[in-house]
Coordinates of all heavy atoms in Angstrom, one line a residue:
K28 N 18.8 5.1 -5.7 CA 19.1 3.9 -6.5 C 17.8 3.2 -6.4 O 17.2 2.9 -5.3 CB 20.3 3.1 -5.8 CG 20.6 1.8 -6.6 CD 21.8 1.1 -5.9 CE 21.8 -0.3 -6.4 NZ 22.7 -1.1 -5.5
A29 N 17.4 2.6 -7.5 CA 16.2 1.7 -7.6 C 16.2 0.6 -6.5 O 17.1 0.0 -6.3 CB 16.0 1.2 -8.9
R30 N 14.9 0.4 -5.9 CA 14.7 -0.5 -5.0 C 13.3 -1.2 -5.0 O 13.2 -2.4 -5.1 CB 15.0 0.0 -3.5 CG 14.7 -0.9 -2.4 CD 14.7 -0.1 -1.1 NE 14.6 -1.0 0.0 CZ 15.5 -1.6 0.6 NH1 16.7 -1.6 0.2 NH2 15.4 -2.3 1.7
G31 N 12.2 -0.4 -4.8 CA 11.0 -0.8 -4.8 C 10.7 -1.1 -3.3 O 11.6 -1.6 -2.5
A32 N 9.4 -1.3 -2.9 CA 9.1 -1.7 -1.6 C 7.7 -2.4 -1.6 O 6.9 -2.1 -2.3 CB 9.1 -0.5 -0.5
L33 N 7.7 -3.5 -0.7 CA 6.5 -4.3 -0.6 C 5.9 -4.3 0.9 O 6.7 -4.8 1.7 CB 6.7 -5.7 -1.2 CG 5.6 -6.7 -1.2 CD1 4.4 -6.1 -2.0 CD2 6.1 -8.0 -1.7
T34 N 4.8 -3.7 1.1 CA 4.3 -3.8 2.3 C 3.1 -4.9 2.4 O 2.4 -4.9 1.6 CB 3.5 -2.4 2.8 OG1 4.4 -1.3 2.7 CG2 2.9 -2.5 4.2
L35 N 3.4 -5.9 3.4 CA 2.5 -7.1 3.3 C 1.4 -6.9 4.3 O 1.4 -6.2 5.3 CB 3.4 -8.4 3.7 CG 4.5 -8.6 2.7 CD1 5.3 -9.8 3.3 CD2 4.0 -9.0 1.4
A36 N 0.2 -7.5 4.0 CA -1.0 -7.6 4.9 C -1.4 -9.0 5.1 O -1.3 -9.8 4.0 CB -2.1 -6.8 4.3
K37 N -1.7 -9.5 6.1 CA -2.2 -10.9 6.4 C -3.7 -11.0 6.0 O -4.4 -10.0 5.8 CB -2.1 -11.1 8.0 CG -0.7 -11.1 8.4 CD -0.6 -11.6 9.8 CE 0.9 -11.7 10.3 NZ 0.9 -12.2 11.7
A38 N -4.1 -12.2 5.8 CA -5.5 -12.5 5.6 C -6.2 -11.8 6.5 O -5.9 -11.8 7.8 CB -5.8 -14.1 5.5
G39 N -7.4 -11.2 6.1 CA -8.2 -10.4 6.9 C -7.9 -8.8 7.0 O -8.6 -8.1 7.5
Q40 N -6.7 -8.6 6.5 CA -6.3 -7.1 6.4 C -6.3 -6.6 5.0 O -5.8 -5.5 4.7 CB -4.8 -6.9 6.9 CG -4.7 -7.4 8.4 CD -3.2 -7.3 8.8 OE1 -2.4 -7.7 8.2 NE2 -3.2 -6.9 10.0
E41 N -7.1 -7.2 4.1 CA -7.1 -6.8 2.7 C -7.7 -5.4 2.5 O -7.2 -4.6 1.8 CB -8.0 -7.9 1.9 CG -7.3 -9.1 1.7 CD -7.6 -10.1 2.7 OE1 -8.3 -9.8 3.8 OE2 -7.3 -11.3 2.6
A42 N -8.6 -5.0 3.4 CA -9.3 -3.7 3.3 C -8.3 -2.7 3.7 O -8.4 -1.5 3.1 CB -10.6 -3.7 4.2
E43 N -7.5 -2.9 4.8 CA -6.5 -2.0 5.1 C -5.5 -1.8 4.0 O -5.0 -0.6 3.7 CB -5.9 -2.4 6.3 CG -6.7 -2.2 7.6 CD -7.4 -3.5 8.0 OE1 -7.7 -4.4 7.1 OE2 -7.8 -3.7 9.2
A44 N -5.1 -2.8 3.4 CA -4.1 -2.6 2.2 C -4.7 -1.9 1.1 O -4.0 -1.1 0.6 CB -3.6 -4.1 1.9
E45 N -6.0 -2.2 0.8 CA -6.6 -1.4 -0.3 C -6.9 0.1 0.2 O -6.5 1.0 -0.8 CB -8.0 -2.0 -0.5 CG -8.9 -1.2 -1.6 CD -8.2 -1.3 -2.9 OE1 -7.6 -2.3 -3.4 OE2 -8.3 -0.2 -3.6
A46 N -7.1 0.4 1.4 CA -7.4 1.8 1.9 C -5.9 2.5 1.7 O -5.9 3.7 1.2 CB -7.8 1.8 3.1
F47 N -4.7 1.8 2.2 CA -3.5 2.4 2.0 C -3.2 2.7 0.5 O -2.8 3.8 0.3 CB -2.4 1.3 2.6 CG -1.0 1.9 2.4 CD1 -0.3 2.5 3.3 CD2 -0.4 1.2 1.2 CE1 0.9 2.9 3.0 CE2 0.9 1.7 1.0 CZ 1.7 2.6 1.9
A48 N -3.4 1.8 -0.3 CA -3.1 2.0 -1.9 C -3.9 3.1 -2.3 O -3.5 4.1 -3.0 CB -3.4 0.7 -2.6
Q49 N -5.2 3.1 -2.0 CA -6.1 4.4 -2.5 C -5.8 5.7 -2.0 O -5.7 6.6 -2.7 CB -7.6 4.1 -2.1 CG -8.2 2.9 -2.9 CD -9.6 2.6 -2.5 OE1 -10.3 3.3 -1.7 NE2 -10.3 1.6 -3.2
R50 N -5.4 5.7 -0.6 CA -4.9 6.9 0.0 C -3.8 7.5 -0.8 O -3.7 8.8 -1.1 CB -4.7 6.8 1.3 CG -4.1 8.1 2.2 CD -3.8 7.8 3.7 NE -4.6 6.9 4.3 CZ -4.1 5.7 5.0 NH1 -2.9 5.4 4.9 NH2 -4.9 4.9 5.5
Y51 N -2.8 6.7 -1.0 CA -1.5 7.3 -1.7 C -1.7 7.4 -3.2 O -1.1 8.4 -3.7 CB -0.3 6.4 -1.3 CG 0.0 6.7 0.2 CD1 -0.3 5.9 1.3 CD2 0.6 7.9 0.5 CE1 -0.2 6.1 2.5 CE2 0.9 8.3 1.9 CZ 0.4 7.4 2.8 OH 0.7 7.8 4.2
R52 N -2.4 6.6 -3.7 CA -2.7 6.8 -5.3 C -3.4 8.2 -5.5 O -3.0 9.0 -6.4 CB -3.6 5.7 -5.8 CG -3.1 4.3 -6.0 CD -3.9 3.5 -6.6 NE -3.5 2.1 -6.6 CZ -4.2 1.0 -6.3 NH1 -5.6 1.1 -6.1 NH2 -3.7 -0.2 -6.3
A53 N -4.4 8.6 -4.5 CA -4.9 9.9 -4.6 C -4.1 11.0 -4.5 O -4.3 12.0 -5.0 CB -6.2 10.0 -3.4
L54 N -2.9 10.8 -3.9 CA -1.8 11.8 -3.7 C -0.9 11.6 -4.8 O 0.1 12.5 -4.7 CB -1.2 11.6 -2.3 CG -2.0 11.9 -1.2 CD1 -1.3 11.4 0.3 CD2 -2.4 13.4 -1.0
G55 N -1.0 10.8 -5.7 CA 0.0 10.7 -6.9 C 1.1 9.8 -6.7 O 2.0 9.8 -7.5
V56 N 1.0 9.0 -5.7 CA 2.0 7.9 -5.4 C 1.7 6.7 -6.2 O 0.6 6.2 -6.2 CB 2.1 7.6 -3.9 CG1 3.2 6.6 -3.6 CG2 2.5 9.1 -3.1
A57 N 2.7 6.1 -6.8 CA 2.5 4.7 -7.6 C 2.4 3.6 -6.5 O 3.4 3.4 -5.6 CB 3.6 4.5 -8.5
V58 N 1.2 3.0 -6.4 CA 1.0 1.9 -5.5 C 0.3 0.8 -6.3 O -0.9 1.1 -6.7 CB 0.4 2.3 -4.1 CG1 0.1 1.0 -3.2 CG2 1.0 3.4 -3.3

């Protein structure tokens, strides 16, 4: 059943959030 998920990052963690998104986008995951 549709839900969606949001993983939050604090100020200063923007690079980690970007790396997470890039890693999974490269695997075909929508982020």
Side-chain angles (χ1 to χ4, degrees):
K28 179 182 169 192
R30 175 191 186 86
L33 181 61
T34 302
L35 299 175
K37 292 183 176 185
Q40 296 177 321
E41 293 88 352
E43 288 94 335
E45 178 62 39
F47 172 88
Q49 286 180 359
R50 180 181 325 124
Y51 288 101
R52 284 181 192 143
L54 296 169
V56 177
V58 182

